[in-house]
Amino acid sequence: MTQSARWIRNFVDGEFAEPDGPGFPAVDPATGTEFARVHEAGRELVHRAVVGARAALHDGWADTPVRERTALLRRAADRIEDRFEEFVAAEVADTGKPVTQARELDVARAVANFRTFADVIAAAGQESFVTDLPGGAQALNYAVRKPLGVVAVIVPWNLPLLLLTWKVAPALGCGNAVVVKPSDQTPSTATLLAEVLAEVGLPAGAYNVVHGFGGDSAGQYLTEHPGIDGVTFTGSSATGTQVMRTVAPRVRPVSFELGGKNAAIVFDDADLDETLAGLTRSVFANTGQVCLCTERVYVQRPVFEEVAGGLVERARGLRLGDPSAERTTTGPLISPEHRLKVLDYLALAREAGAETLTGGGIPEMGPGFDGGSWLEPTLWTGLTNKDRPVREEIFGPVAALIPFDTEDEAVALANDTEYGLASSVWTQDLRRGHRVAQAMHVGMSWVNTWFLRDLRSPFGGMGLSGIGREGGASSLHFYTEPTNVCVRL
């Protein structure tokens, strides 16, 4: 049971489905060339996946003891490690990201996700309450958690394996069955994970993969299906709105991690070397294609020029090139269409009077790579919170640098957004760091760091950045339904 070298196939009810149409191309973003065909799932195949998932629950997966489910998660982590370089190669082919990032972040986090949720689920308990009743009697209240059921898992193209396993590991560990719809642009690792989960003994139907697009394709067919008990989605705010509209008539629970327009606040007492290193990561990591990336950098006026100059120097030191080369730091954007979107924002910034400190164009990459979706790392000054490039999510290697004078001004500027995913605060004043971090209207606020995570902590956003939280016990709350039992003693 292996996937064809030519075809990336759907995985339904324990088997890879044979292609029944022309499919669509899987394209390497670094070169612009097709490396495989992807089997697009029609409505009937999506239906089969949902039915197979329901059957897996009824055939015993939902009632499998916790110790057996968590042992399976640990075996999956071990097997991903055994096939580590296969996952790295698949992730690089899909996304064009540097091989070092795929190894150190994406695939490593996939392993950590399975192991962490195995530990969290194995240790999870429930509260109980003894209630005193009139006349000296008592009642015992306790809750039992049951799987949510069949969960639609929809993941984006920027961190496809990391975000897939972030959702699939707790969902399976809690006894659910899942139907995964990966991005049409990054289909490989979700399909490869199907092989791994089958190898470690997951029952047929508990993990399914359907490939395709959103509207009038697999995404729509899945979210419309009456057999889905919940939807977990990471992606754009616009798509999240559409998914919510689709599931609302059936009142299905949703967990959404959506877009961000994240701010960094740099105070004049910050350790500038540490700050510049952190900002370089937070602005340009994964070519700016991370929901947590910083697109607004507010810098206290006394150090504004120094921070701007230092960040420009580091941006120019990034090495764009062959993703398979160890020295490469920065890959392409995911597609020509996405690059066009980012270029449109660059044009909007120029029209608004921005000064481009560095970047702003398409680099010449040379033979083999000029067909890829490359873009220069870009920094602006001269914009304000009123300008569209500062208000709307761009999702590319770009950021606006804006000066401020007082702490209150910085907090007001950072919170002046409809998004609320993440922020970072850079200061050596610990009291101010705590104070400002807590004042941010976001789901995650860092002080003197970025992208540092304890996987047991809650993760998610507010406003246009999402609904609900995942991570640790928060994931367990979404992927299970509690039943309270009350016993009169």
Side-chain angles (χ1 to χ4, degrees), residues 292-445:
L292 299 167
C293 272
T294 302
E295 293 190 5
R296 300 179 292 144
V297 183
Y298 299 103
V299 185
Q300 201 158 26
R301 204 173 300 274
V303 294
F304 183 84
E305 295 299 332
E306 188 173 359
V307 170
L311 196 55
V312 166
E313 180 181 356
R314 284 161 175 77
R316 291 174 178 168
L318 296 172
R319 295 185 295 273
L320 284 65
D322 184 350
S324 66
E326 298 287 337
R327 67 183 298 274
T328 297
T329 64
T330 307
L333 294 171
I334 190 65
S335 67
E337 294 79 13
H338 186 57
R339 182 172 67 176
L340 183 59
K341 172 198 168 185
V342 178
L343 287 170
D344 285 344
Y345 277 105
L346 268 60
L348 284 172
R350 289 192 296 270
E351 291 171 9
E355 176 188 352
T356 301
L357 300 181
T358 189
I362 298 174
E364 293 184 6
M365 298 302 299
F369 295 101
D370 269 340
S373 300
W374 301 90
L375 187 71
E376 295 172 336
T378 302
L379 296 168
W380 301 306
T381 58
L383 296 174
T384 73
N385 274 27
K386 296 179 181 179
D387 297 312
R388 283 182 60 193
V390 183
R391 302 209 65 81
E392 300 174 14
E393 184 181 39
I394 301 173
F395 219 62
V398 300
L401 280 65
I402 300 172
F404 71 88
D405 293 301
T406 68
E407 178 182 314
D408 287 346
E409 180 189 5
V411 170
L413 288 168
N415 285 334
D416 180 22
T417 176
E418 294 183 276
Y419 294 93
L421 187 56
S423 66
S424 61
V425 181
W426 302 86
T427 179
Q428 295 189 77
D429 184 335
L430 187 58
R431 288 177 297 179
R432 177 162 61 188
H434 281 287
R435 185 169 63 242
V436 174
Q438 292 179 32
M440 295 293 97
H441 297 165
V442 296
M444 175 165 288
S445 195

Side-chain angles (χ1 to χ4, degrees), residues 11 157 208 215 247 288 312 363 444:
F11 186 78
W157 46 258
N208 305 270
V247 302
V312 166
M444 175 165 288

Side-chain angles (χ1 to χ4, degrees), residues 234-292:
T234 297
S236 73
S237 301
T239 304
T241 300
Q242 182 58 50
V243 172
M244 181 179 289
R245 188 177 294 116
T246 301
V247 302
R250 290 176 283 116
V251 197
R252 295 298 189 260
V254 296
S255 177
F256 286 168
E257 194 267 285
L258 307 177
K261 192 66 179 179
N262 308 306
I265 299 176
V266 181
F267 288 98
D268 58 11
D269 67 338
D271 180 317
L272 291 188
D273 285 339
E274 180 182 80
T275 299
L276 289 169
L279 290 176
T280 301
R281 289 185 64 232
S282 74
V283 174
F284 300 119
N286 203 40
T287 320
Q289 299 170 126
V290 179
C291 56
L292 299 167

Side-chain angles (χ1 to χ4, degrees), residues 90-91 94-95 97 106 155-166 182-183 186-190 286:
E91 194 79 343
D94 273 352
T95 65
K97 64 183 58 175
D106 299 81
V155 291
W157 46 258
N158 60 327
L159 300 169
L161 179 63
L162 186 159
L163 292 170
L164 170 68
T165 53
W166 175 244
S183 168
T186 53
S188 300
T189 47
N286 203 40

Side-chain angles (χ1 to χ4, degrees), residues 80-94:
I80 292 171
E81 285 188 324
D82 292 341
R83 302 180 64 174
F84 197 90
E85 291 302 322
E86 288 182 71
F87 278 95
V88 169
E91 194 79 343
V92 171
D94 273 352

